[in-house]
């Protein structure tokens, strides 16, 4: 089985839709995906992700195939970081707030860190990964420990249209990595495509392997500069780039 995790196009967060640039990006993405064999379409209910998914679906006449899943919504959650800073985005820590916190690197312990106690973040995360596991099980792969089991593997492709924070949560489960590392050391730009395949090296025993993260080749091929959304300034104080 193959999984594609696709981030929405350049967003207008205020109105929860795509900007004009985002629409251009989504059209270029649709042209790329036309060449792919995609069997199942899953989308976040949020406008910017759904619009991105619909752009592809309309291009191939599959609007009725979109399955909307609430658990693919952006992973927003109010927390208080180790520094004491309160914020509504758990994936937006400053380096000094997480790099020295060893527990945050642990796949099975990060959400037990003191800064998350009583916040509900652990419960939120476990709900999302449980829904992911149930979806994957419906396609023939059952979570067993840190791997997956299958009675009959397949070569279906599942496409998940979602958000950067949510993408890292999905990857954390599939690859057994703390989402803290993914949220803060990786960035998936708008309409980027992340590809994972199952590997069944012994019959019935499966793990997922990432063959490509955050591919935006379709934008370069179409002469469209990738949006910097989700990135921060490359050098401090540079004009026009986000610092906070």
């Amino acid at each position: 089985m193959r999984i594609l995790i696709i981030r929405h196009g350049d967003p207008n967060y205020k109105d929860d839709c795509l900007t004009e640039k985002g629409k251009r990006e989504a059209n270029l993405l649709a042209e790329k995906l036309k060449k792919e064999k995609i069997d199942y379409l899953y989308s976040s209910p949020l406008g910017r992700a759904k619009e991105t998914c619909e752009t592809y679906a309309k291009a191939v006449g599959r609007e009725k195939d979109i399955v909307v899943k609430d658990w693919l919504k952006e992973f927003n959650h109010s927390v208080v970081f180790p520094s004491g800073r309160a914020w509504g985005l758990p994936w937006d820590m400053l380096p000094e707030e997480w790099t020295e916190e060893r527990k945050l690197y642990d796949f099975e312990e990060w959400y037990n860190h003191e800064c998350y106690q009583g916040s509900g973040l652990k419960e939120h995360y476990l709900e999302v990964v449980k829904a992911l596991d149930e979806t994957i099980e419906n396609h023939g792969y059952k979570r067993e420990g840190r791997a997956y089991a299958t009675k009959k593997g397949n070569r279906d492709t599942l496409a998940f249209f979602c958000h950067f924070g949510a993408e890292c949560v999905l990857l954390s489960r599939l690859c057994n990595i703390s989402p803290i590392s993914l949220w803060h050391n990786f960035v998936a730009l708008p309409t980027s495509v992340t590809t994972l395949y199952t590997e069944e090296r012994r019959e019935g025993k499966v793990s997922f392997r990432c063959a490509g993260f955050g591919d935006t080749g379709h934008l370069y091929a179409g002469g469209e500069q990738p949006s910097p959304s989700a990135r921060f300034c490359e050098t401090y104080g540079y004009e026009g780039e986000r610092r906070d």
Side-chain angles (χ1 to χ4, degrees):
M1 183 169 70
R2 179 175 66 153
I3 290 178
L4 304 179
I5 306 176
I6 302 162
R7 189 182 173 206
H8 57 75
D10 186 58
N12 174 339
Y13 286 118
K14 181 181 178 181
D15 297 328
D16 188 24
C17 63
L18 298 181
T19 63
E20 289 304 313
K21 175 174 175 54
K23 293 175 183 178
R24 295 195 301 271
E25 292 174 347
N27 284 323
L28 290 170
L29 171 69
E31 288 301 311
K32 168 189 172 67
L33 295 181
K34 278 183 183 179
K35 304 168 188 175
E36 300 283 351
K37 170 187 171 289
I38 298 178
D39 301 287
Y40 300 93
L41 297 173
Y42 293 98
S43 175
S44 158
L46 298 184
R48 53 197 186 272
K50 197 173 177 187
E51 188 177 345
T52 305
C53 183
E54 288 171 346
T55 300
Y56 161 71
K58 288 176 182 176
V60 293
R62 295 185 59 190
E63 296 97 320
K64 294 181 179 179
D65 291 344
I66 299 172
V67 178
V68 176
K69 294 290 189 180
D70 279 348
W71 53 270
L72 285 172
K73 289 189 294 190
E74 181 57 297
F75 196 81
N76 294 337
H77 196 99
S78 296
V79 295
V80 178
F81 296 142
S83 66
R85 183 169 67 102
W87 197 233
L89 304 174
W91 38 266
D92 187 14
M93 290 194 210
L94 298 170
E96 59 268 29
E97 292 177 321
W98 69 277
T99 52
E100 299 302 321
E101 301 289 328
R102 295 178 64 87
K103 185 182 284 189
L104 294 178
Y105 288 87
D106 190 311
F107 164 65
E108 294 170 317
E109 285 295 322
W110 71 275
Y111 46 59
N112 291 321
H113 190 280
E114 293 77 6
C115 72
Y116 297 137
Q117 297 304 306
S119 72
L121 181 140
K122 175 180 179 179
E123 291 76 13
H124 185 186
Y125 174 82
L126 293 177
E127 285 174 5
V128 173
V129 298
K130 180 175 183 288
L132 172 64
D133 285 346
E134 289 172 349
T135 300
I136 290 175
E137 185 171 354
N138 289 338
H139 290 281
Y141 295 83
K142 183 177 181 179
R143 180 85 178 191
E144 289 189 356
R146 296 184 178 182
Y148 292 82
T150 186
K151 292 182 179 178
K152 186 178 181 180
N154 62 70
R155 298 204 172 191
D156 292 344
T157 295
L158 283 58
F160 295 107
F161 288 77
C162 56
H163 313 264
F164 170 65
E167 172 174 346
C168 292
V169 169
L170 305 188
L171 284 171
S172 79
R173 183 62 168 177
L174 295 171
C175 301
N176 302 310
I177 301 170
S178 166
I180 300 293
S181 297
L182 294 166
W183 284 332
H184 297 94
N185 287 128
F186 291 78
V187 62
L189 299 177
T191 68
S192 63
V193 180
T194 293
T195 303
L196 299 99
Y197 291 91
T198 53
E199 287 192 347
E200 189 180 355
R201 298 176 65 182
R202 295 292 184 272
E203 187 175 9
K205 194 72 171 177
V206 175
S207 62
F208 281 90
R209 197 167 191 185
C210 184
F213 178 86
D215 176 29
T216 55
H218 53 285
L219 300 181
Y220 288 106
E224 186 75 35
Q225 273 291 115
S227 165
S229 180
R231 286 190 60 195
F232 291 91
C233 53
E234 188 171 342
T235 54
Y236 185 81
Y238 191 82
E239 186 68 27
E241 292 184 346
R242 292 171 65 202
R243 186 172 69 243
D244 270 324

